[in-house]
């Protein structure tokens, strides 16, 4: 069985695993206060050229989103997101569990638009309506599309207009930054928003994300919030060690992995296109959504493991194919050959 | 620097790390639905001789406690705990964050007593008072003491009397089960309570705990609750793999580690006793609380890393010494020798 | 200044005020456990011909909605509502404050549709998505429109299909039941849903709503929830006394008030129509939304107090006119005459 | 049946009821934005000689406490209270429902002590423990005792020392200010704390409390919080009208009522003392706790309605007797005579 199920179907990239092994017998203090977390934080600050950034190592994406949102919002405030945004759509109401609404707007190619923010703001009137105070987007989006610098800037401008905090969910940030369509650097990301995270789980780590807070006000007692939201790892250094491995050096491993994930996905995309396959959305990253006849999908499922994403009209469906750090050219060829036979 | 700081100051026990390495390149589905988690759950069920038990692999102790409590209680219900209980004392209000009170009672040698439960119940009267619905204890306690089978049974009986759910925090359950004073087996634990967890983090794992639910009603939609409480790991199998390594086989590694942790602590305890040192509490497990002159503590801190726990009268304090899977007889000797010199 | 601002701009209907005065010096026990609340509950049960109904007297609409929703849902569950529904749109996130999402669907003429429920259900997949468990509608809606019996039945059928609780916000239920378009009796309402409330505040009471629970499971420990949600009035009998006055006798005052509110609104509607005025929506109840030129609105504001509701294209806006128990034919004439002069 | 059950067993004081009747037919805007609320707020500001105070009219005591606490605290913060404090003991976990712990300390004669605050602070260490940020006391306490100016000042000083907000629950504040032991004026109360409320429900109102916020930071978006916590009354002016009646003029009705309640209670207290009866606590206000033989209590219950409060040793119990605005000298005589016969 070949997996295009997700970018988290294997363990850690070998270099990350090696780092965990090399440091395994060291003793350090717990809860993310140790030399590895300190060093990894310094690496992040250097990478984004922001010596004033606060860096927290978080156990996972949902925990990262929820802790950031619950920490930043006052009780009567809400976060604006695309209805397809992960924090709304795939986190089982974890944001609302902390007492806050996710004010939704329809997405366009997976992206929240400035008009969507205007729409959300139009629901806000006075003390009878909760007050939007933050904008949440995912870069890349949940369907693999990427905000351009101009789009990010337009959202940032709306945030400034309305006094909204701008937060970017970067579960697959590496993929966004290294794809062909990318016109934004990580430094620019850090300039545009108030907080974002660099996803490790989907880019070579066993688990863990690096949350970067650029706005001092958002960092107040943040470690209290991490603990309260159940995200403080006893052996906190584990995430620091992994991010040292992922982001250290001149040519950070995380971006090399992301680039390779994108390239393998491109091979798939190009191969399928040549076979006449159409796609849902226009993802340039490591998730693609080809539309295939249902009978083909049924046959493919014998040898390949992937999600059937959505109905796509008469006898066809979009499937989601995701490439990970361990996806090989052979995996891609096997899939393309089988589609060729079936189509 | 020699660490008696905690039992989570190093990475994983080498056998656990090896298991993670051996399975690293496997592809599996995410979120704890995979062959390793299934196998580890089967191992747990066999260990406790309960084929009907539900087993969930959780990322950490606080998350485990909070998810179990929030899932089991109705909005107007509370959980009874010793004021020194971890879920009350050292989790930054994470239980209350889910809308529930921790109704506290004073502990005796770290343990909740049947009288404490009666006291907590006495606060409950009618619709003007929240209703206790669960009892939370830690086995061993936060100061290393161990409930006897008779004590556990007495608590269980109070739970039956008042219709309370009985939940045991087993962050260091291995230490309780393998210490000299232990008169309870894990099978008996599983018979006495409605749910408990077997701690991995403090007994050889990188991270992760095995939550065991014995009462079907408590398992309803539990995976929804794991996700909502931000504890669903993408690469969920990581915890399954670790518990296969920790609990598999005829002489499970977890108990061997726990036993060794207890023995190293005993060496410390006996050595200190011989030097005339007194202790706070009567812990037979891997956390001990010797009382030392403050000037001795100050000197010790140059070479050893540990917590100063509490004032203990005129010029003396109790310190906490914890042994982990990697604590050696040499570490113990070094400490004892230094105390001898200083005292 | 003549008020068409709301149906809560005056105090209580004189008969309700008299009842409060007549019983003022009586001593009773507090918190809604008294002969007046008991009697009012019996009156409600008789009115709906359901001797098994549970009746709770609540301080206000938001409190009523939130307590019912928070009591009925498990932590991972959501309530489906029209985006224009009061519990979503005008309650400052009070539902989310209890940890639950309001899953929204677009409304049609103010009404939630069976398709809207299907849409909301389509967001629900598995443990990564919160589970809709209740449908919330307002009868009449927030823009005065009324669900027909067929529409209510269609929603009820969807609820049955998906195992959803059906809850009706009846803040202005009297207006819905007594308007010209009504084809549903209060008995039928009680048969169709699991819980609903009969609004007092907007129909002659000083304050207070009668919540009717038809589904025993929803009533479990409900008084604990009333207290926890801060809605248990010390002098609880005040609401009972008012509902005795509003619903007692063969021709209950509440319905007489509602009918009169509807009739006064009809006079306004017909008068404005004759003057060529168009309306937003098709409300047959005591809230109407005429579209007037902005310059006319500006002039009217000197003598009349009302909400400007929404932009309605080039130089015009919809305003909201609401009639209350004290609105007179003279008030209506004055408005119509002024519009005639200005238009 | 003669009631000593509570000070909320009757409706409103006749002067309050008259004010409601006199203004009943007026039209005003809703939600507490009207001339009566404005005027009542001005009256309060003048009374406490603080032109900068923010005044909000709240529907009840629990709602007032919870809204103030939830508004003032950050998610990881707690409020310190005596374990017998109303917000902890008799509000069904309503504070915890908003995600905050009530950190409790044992009371002394019903009062929180500076040592109690120190005890609560001692639980706070670092990011693993929730942070106390507010002190809650009731003046008078739940057992009728009254803090002296020195005691209030000592608590205020502890608050300053630790940066804690000081909030006073004044459900029966009138009784505290007008009792024989009182050495504090309402002006001084307003100087000592950050926020307090003047209770109406238990001192002549139908319902309603006047919350006074002296610290600007605590008032930010407070009306959003009132709505979110379900306490925004549609006919908000009802509370304003009542407080105009209660606090207007040179000799405010509320204090006259409170004084009379205290005096009637004194008659009871003195009469019982003469009969040799002992008391639980030392209340100088309108709640007293005589200890009577259980067989006497049983007989008294035929003619009088009151709470049996607590066991008081061999065959005796403390009962709670409360006087209200309508309690008469005849009621007192009847009780004393009956006790005399029975004892």
């Amino acid at each position: 069985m070949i997996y295009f199920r997700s970018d988290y179907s294997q363990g850690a990239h070998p270099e990350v695993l090696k780092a965990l092994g090399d440091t395994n017998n060291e003793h350090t203090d717990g809860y993310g206060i140790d030399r590895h977390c300190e060093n990894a934080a310094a690496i992040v600050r250097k990478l984004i050229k922001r010596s004033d950034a606060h860096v927290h190592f978080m156990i996972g994406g949902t925990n990262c989103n929820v802790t950031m949102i619950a920490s930043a919002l006052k009780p009567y405030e809400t976060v604006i997101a695309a209805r397809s945004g992960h924090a709304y759509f795939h986190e089982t109401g974890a944001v609302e569990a902390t007492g806050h609404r996710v004010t939704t707007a329809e997405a366009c190619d997976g992206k929240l638009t400035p008009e969507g923010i205007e729409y959300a703001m139009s629901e806000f009137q006075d003390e009878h309506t909760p007050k939007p105070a933050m904008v949440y987007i995912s870069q890349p989006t949940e369907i693999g599309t990427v905000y351009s610098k101009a789009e990010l800037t337009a959202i940032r401008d709306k945030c400034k207009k309305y006094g909204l905090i701008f937060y970017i969910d970067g579960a697959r940030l590496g993929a966004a930054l290294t794809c062909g369509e990318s016109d934004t650097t990580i430094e620019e990301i850090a300039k545009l928003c108030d907080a974002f995270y660099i996803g490790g789980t989907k880019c070579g780590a066993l688990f863990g994300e690096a949350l970067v807070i650029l706005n001092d006000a958002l960092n107040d007692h943040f470690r209290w919030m991490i603990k309260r939201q159940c995200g403080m790892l006893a052996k906190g250094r584990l995430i620091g060690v992994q991010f040292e491995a992922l982001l250290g050096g001149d040519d950070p491993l995380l971006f090399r992995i992301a680039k390779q994930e994108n390239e393998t996905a491109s091979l798939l995309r190009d191969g399928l296109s040549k076979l006449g396959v159409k796609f849902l959305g226009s993802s340039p990253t490591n998730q693609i959504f080809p539309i295939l006849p249902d009978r083909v999908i049924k046959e493919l499922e014998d040898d390949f493991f992937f999600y059937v994403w959505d109905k796509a009209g008469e006898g066809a469906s979009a499937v989601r194919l995701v490439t990970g750090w361990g996806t090989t050219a052979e995996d891609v060829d096997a899939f393309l050959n089988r589609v060729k036979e079936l189509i």
Side-chain angles (χ1 to χ4, degrees), chain A:
Chain A
M1 183 70 71
I2 293 173
Y3 276 62
F4 293 107
R5 178 72 164 182
S6 73
D7 31 17
Y8 42 87
S9 65
Q10 291 182 289
H13 186 279
E15 293 183 40
V16 173
L17 196 66
K18 183 173 181 304
L20 287 169
D22 289 349
T23 59
N24 187 64
N25 287 358
E26 289 180 20
H27 287 269
T28 62
D29 204 357
Y31 305 115
I33 300 190
D34 62 81
R35 59 188 167 274
H36 294 289
C37 287
E38 274 168 37
N39 184 37
I43 289 169
V44 170
R45 282 192 290 264
K46 198 176 158 199
L47 187 71
I48 61 171
K49 300 206 171 79
R50 283 287 296 267
S51 60
D52 63 331
H54 307 275
V55 183
H56 300 277
F57 295 102
M58 309 294 290
I59 50 166
T62 299
N63 186 271
C64 191
N65 290 336
V66 169
T67 307
M68 187 72 255
I69 292 168
S71 183
L73 299 188
K74 299 197 180 97
Y76 51 86
E77 293 182 336
T78 80
V79 55
I80 299 172
R83 198 156 175 125
S84 54
H86 201 268
Y88 178 80
F89 208 80
H90 264 125
E91 298 185 349
T92 318
V95 172
E96 290 90 345
T98 67
H100 300 284
R101 173 175 298 173
V102 183
T103 302
T104 55
E106 293 308 315
C108 181
D109 204 19
K111 301 181 211 174
L112 183 65
T113 60
E115 293 71 33
I117 296 174
E118 289 285 349
Y119 171 72
M121 290 308 299
S122 76
E123 290 197 350
F124 172 61
Q125 299 167 334
D126 54 25
E127 62 261 54
H128 300 275
T129 45
K131 190 179 173 188
M134 188 187 238
V135 164
Y136 163 98
I137 67 165
S138 304
Q139 171 77 324
T141 70
E142 291 71 15
I143 56 164
T145 51
V146 174
Y147 290 87
S148 68
K149 199 191 305 180
E151 287 169 332
L152 292 172
T153 304
I155 288 176
R156 196 269 322 263
D157 290 347
K158 283 286 173 210
C159 289
K160 289 217 162 164
K161 175 177 170 188
Y162 292 117
L164 304 166
I165 296 160
F166 185 14
Y167 169 65
I168 300 176
D169 178 336
R172 294 182 175 95
L173 187 63
L177 293 171
T178 59
C179 77
E181 281 191 16
S182 171
D183 67 353
T184 321
T185 65
I186 196 166
E187 259 185 84
E188 288 168 329
I189 293 282
K191 265 186 200 147
L192 283 162
C193 69
D194 294 282
F196 71 101
Y197 79 84
I198 307 169
T201 300
K202 290 162 179 168
C203 206
L206 277 187
F207 67 95
E209 334 290 331
L211 175 63
V212 185
I213 299 180
L214 289 323
N215 173 337
D216 280 354
L218 300 184
N219 199 54
D220 179 46
H221 282 85
F222 197 79
R223 283 178 58 80
W224 271 256
M225 289 300 295
I226 295 176
K227 181 75 180 188
R228 180 192 191 252
Q229 297 305 126
C230 307
M232 190 164 277
L233 197 65
K235 303 186 180 181
R237 78 171 194 232
L238 295 175
I239 315 180
V241 166
Q242 293 181 83
F243 273 92
E244 287 179 307
L246 285 167
L247 294 178
D250 290 337
D251 183 15
L253 174 62
L254 185 137
F255 299 117
R256 282 182 279 135
I257 292 172
K259 207 170 171 208
Q260 184 196 308
E261 289 180 353
N262 287 340
E263 284 167 357
T264 332
S266 282
L267 290 179
L268 262 178
R269 190 188 305 106
D270 295 347
L272 289 167
S273 291
K274 277 186 196 151
L275 297 172
V277 172
K278 302 288 175 208
F279 292 83
L280 181 74
S282 59
S283 162
T285 58
N286 71 321
Q287 296 191 84
I288 60 173
F289 299 83
I291 296 166
L292 295 168
D294 290 335
R295 70 163 177 85
V296 172
I297 292 169
K298 210 171 159 55
E299 296 283 341
L300 285 166
E301 284 175 334
D302 288 344
D303 300 311
F304 302 93
F305 192 46
F306 53 82
Y307 277 102
V308 179
W309 195 254
D310 213 352
K311 295 279 164 207
E314 295 292 301
S317 298
V319 303
R320 184 180 82 156
L321 304 180
V322 193
T323 56
W325 64 260
T327 305
T328 62
E330 288 72 36
D331 295 338
V332 172
D333 285 345
F335 191 83
L336 292 175
N337 289 336
R338 189 73 181 112
V339 172
K340 202 171 179 180
E341 287 166 20
L342 290 166
I343 228 161

